[in-house]
Amino acid sequence: MSKTVALTGNLACAHAMRQINPDVVAAYPITPQTTIVEEFSTFVANGQVDTEYVTVESEHSAMSACVGASAAGSRVITATSSQGLALMWEILYIASALRLPIVMHNVNRTLAGPINIHCDHQDSMGARDSGWIQIHCENAQEAYDTTIQAIRIAEDNRVRLPVLVCLDGFIISHAIDRLDMLDDPEVKKFVGEFEPAISMLDPEEPITVGPFDGLHGQFFEFRRAQELATLGSLPVIEEIGKEYGAVSGRPYGLIEEYKLDDAEIAIVVLGSTAGTTRVVVDSLRADGVKAGLLKIRSFRPFPIKQITDALSGVKAVAVLDRSLSPGAIGAPVFQEVRSALYDSESRVPIINFIYGLGGRDVSMGLIKEAYTVLSDIVKDGQVKQTINYLGLRE
Amino acid sequence: MASLRELSKKKDYLTGGHRLCAGCGHSIAVRQVLLASEDPVVVGCATGCLEVSTTIYPYTAWKCSYIHNAFENVAATISGVESAYQALKRRGKVDKELKFVAFGGDGGTYDIGLQSLSGALERGHNMLYVCCDNGAYMNTGIQRSSATPKGAWTTTTPVGSVRPGKPRRRKDLTAICADHNIPYVAQASISHWKDLHAKAAKALQTDGPAFLNILSPCPRGWRHPSDQTVKMAKLGVQTGYWPLYEVENGVWKVTVKVRQPKPVAEWFKLQGRFKHLFAPGNEALLADLQADVDSQRERILARCESTQE
Ligand SMILES: Cc1ncc(C[n+]2csc(CCOP(=O)(O)OP(=O)(O)O)c2C)c(N)n1
Ligand code: SF4
Ligand SMILES: [Mg+2]
């Protein structure tokens, strides 16, 4: 049984945390994540959870304490944003290398400077190579559902990796949305009892965690093993998404296609902008334009086959990136989608639109503009400009 | 108080065969602290000599559970381990009594790890933090830290034609920890094993956070023969450079009285890191350093007097 509620994305995440009732939460507040930890604090204060809640003095310590708690054999959740995620950077790599199933919300906010509290994906793109699974959510419902699935993905013995659940700052985190919540016992059953792969708390079986890898060590092999585990999580994310669908009626995959089957032009995007794009697709379709949308849910691991298959029939693609990599050939999502398509037979023309940095509003009109450029490419048979900017004041 | 014979029969959590230099103070400090525990221990270790030398993969010198995370975060890391323990105990998943001990070097504690330590002390975790103070970043090749004594040579405070070693006096970390108003803080030395053992035992029995700062000479960095380690620590105490005291629930108390401190020069002259101080023309510098050590010692004695009932 589920119930329909109206909650902000952050409160939806906090409620998912309440229902999971993790052993340990170590977290530090930062806009726009703050209401997650505030709400969770009230659950602790009112005894609605019996989590050990560690109110650390920084995000660096938050992630450090999460590493200690997870290695000790407990189920751990945390949350951050932006500067906080950047401050954790060093420890993100250690958490994933130790193969600790920590789940963390990242409420996407740009990175200073200038200091700015609004949404873009610059922060989570900085965690791209950290060895964390990275899943992007479109709305509060997905943020709630993904939090619950993330526990299972992270703890799955075929995976054992930390998971970053990304939701767009303010757009998802602070907007009140309608969503369906599972009952507490359903969540409890779905996540199950945590059976840790390692524990530091059994004196009969002591373990050394985080040893020093000497000059002729195994570093390369460890990192490769981590890569294999990350790639191996692709079917697990799908499997758990399906299983969650059977319980909730909302199945999840690695990507989500919208009207792509017969589409000629397609936009690829992460996060909340997929919602806006879907509306634009509908309006273009009403005008007879064969537009489609590909939403990437799992950015790490990057589902290459699913993405190339989904785009195999289109004639022009635009990737919308909410981050900028100075000096690179386009932004990260574009780089990867283009790289994936390089090997495809069609070698469809592909362009990049960088948008929404520092919370710059992305309207339907702007997305329509992107589709118009794609239509022109199909018509003229040529790409005029590969890297483009939506909503930039020039 | 256990006798040496009794202690020698206790379980040693740090085995031989580690790769610390011969004469390193750290292994002495670690073993003396852990011997004082009546319960099994779980250890956290900051990056530094102790860490790199005791866990070279695929080997480990630790017979207890051990975690190394990074350089500046051992306090936060062990606080996470301890939090997991509290949670799992409450939920009936673990039942044994365990002690949680973090080891950090002076660099990992006075400098880069100070925030993490301060946060963990304030939060009140049931843990003991031990700083193994050898007065420099030894693991990376003897760079200065805020624990380095004034006047000492290090590779980042070299002795040159215009600068005679480290220009600033050291930070008083023990006092800083005491001013967190935690139940137990003490300063100890590997040379005074009874005093150290008693302090470690008290610290481990403390309900809440405890902090121990241990003088732990480094033959490489201090530039003394490796069979002189204990003597170096002892002179550190006897010159008044490293007063042995404890702060128990706000009461400061000297635990080993040094009635007539030896001149610091007697200690300095045995260490290559202070060699330049004895060159002609540096007499004023040496006098200045003596005055510094005296004033620091007097400050501690004054706090001891003022907080005794
Ligand atoms: C964030 C970070 N900065 C710098 C280093 C390099 N580093 C490793 S150990 C160390 C010094 C350790 O000194 P200390 O804590 O005094 O321990 P010791 O080796 O002297 O026992 C430094 C600078 C690091 N590992 N991580
Ligand atoms: S360099 Fe110094 S601190 Fe490091 S292992 Fe050798 S003696 Fe010990
Ligand atoms: Mg040191």
Side-chain angles (χ1 to χ4, degrees), chain A residues 237-388:
Chain A
I237 297 170
E238 276 186 310
E239 187 185 305
I240 289 166
K242 262 197 209 119
E243 194 187 321
Y244 188 80
V247 175
S248 65
R250 294 181 299 278
Y252 283 83
L254 298 159
I255 59 167
E256 192 185 317
E257 300 177 35
Y258 187 66
K259 300 195 176 166
L260 265 186
D261 280 348
D262 64 339
E264 287 191 343
I265 53 175
I267 278 182
V268 180
V269 73
L270 309 178
S272 64
T273 307
T276 320
T277 309
R278 200 175 281 120
V279 182
V280 175
V281 168
D282 286 344
S283 102
L284 289 172
R285 287 272 173 176
D287 296 340
V289 181
K290 288 190 170 170
L293 159 70
L294 172 62
K295 178 176 88 182
I296 299 177
R297 178 172 181 248
S298 170
F299 180 63
R300 281 291 178 275
F302 194 72
I304 301 170
K305 184 171 181 325
Q306 286 78 0
I307 289 171
T308 49
D309 285 354
L311 296 175
S312 62
V314 301
K315 294 184 177 155
V317 177
V319 179
L320 267 53
D321 264 284
R322 204 160 194 156
S323 67
L324 193 157
S325 175
I329 311 173
V333 188
F334 168 74
Q335 289 171 20
E336 300 214 16
V337 174
R338 184 151 91 152
S339 175
L341 292 180
Y342 184 84
D343 293 328
S344 70
E345 272 162 35
S346 60
R347 273 286 182 92
V348 56
I350 175 165
I351 57 172
N352 194 190
F353 283 97
I354 291 164
Y355 77 101
L357 300 194
R360 179 63 49 82
D361 198 23
V362 54
S363 61
M364 287 174 58
L366 286 176
I367 293 171
K368 229 172 209 164
E369 250 176 54
Y371 276 115
T372 307
V373 176
L374 289 178
S375 292
D376 290 345
I377 291 173
V378 174
K379 216 182 315 143
D380 308 343
Q382 61 161 327
V383 172
K384 289 208 187 81
Q385 186 147 336
T386 302
I387 316 295
N388 307 272

Side-chain angles (χ1 to χ4, degrees), chain B residues 20-21 24 26 49 53 134 138 218-220:
Chain B
L20 288 159
C21 301
C24 179
H26 286 357
C49 274
S53 308
N134 54 22
M138 299 309 180
C218 162
R220 288 279 307 123

